[in-house]
Amino acid sequence: TILWDGTAVPPAIDNSDGDADTTIRVTSENLHKLMTGGLDPTLAYMTGKLKVEGSLGVAMKLVSMLGD
């Protein structure tokens, strides 16, 4: 579990399991592939390798930040 609070400056990141507007579920292997460019986020979502609960718009912003 990684909780990323983007409302704080700088964003607060910790391992607590708190309430979230958006939850992204992905295996550690697929997260690594996403972060290294070996897995396209859209393809991962469409094939079920990346699951989103809550705001899809927020999830897209998070995934784009991981790719930067």
Side-chain angles (χ1 to χ4, degrees), residues 5-12:
D5 182 357
T7 62
V9 176

Side-chain angles (χ1 to χ4, degrees), residues 3-36:
L3 181 63
W4 183 335
D5 182 357
T7 62
V9 176
I13 300 171
D14 63 41
N15 290 68
S16 66
D17 188 13
D19 292 333
D21 294 328
T22 302
T23 302
I24 298 174
R25 296 187 189 282
V26 63
T27 64
S28 58
E29 179 181 339
N30 286 332
L31 177 61
H32 177 72
K33 288 178 184 179
L34 283 168
M35 294 178 69
T36 59

Side-chain angles (χ1 to χ4, degrees), residues 17-65:
D17 188 13
D19 292 333
D21 294 328
T22 302
T23 302
I24 298 174
R25 296 187 189 282
V26 63
T27 64
S28 58
E29 179 181 339
N30 286 332
L31 177 61
H32 177 72
K33 288 178 184 179
L34 283 168
M35 294 178 69
T36 59
L39 180 62
D40 177 71
T42 303
L43 180 61
Y45 177 75
M46 298 300 262
T47 58
K49 293 180 180 180
L50 183 147
K51 298 180 182 185
V52 177
E53 295 173 9
S55 171
L56 188 56
V58 171
M60 289 170 52
K61 287 179 185 178
L62 290 172
V63 171
S64 71
M65 287 193 300

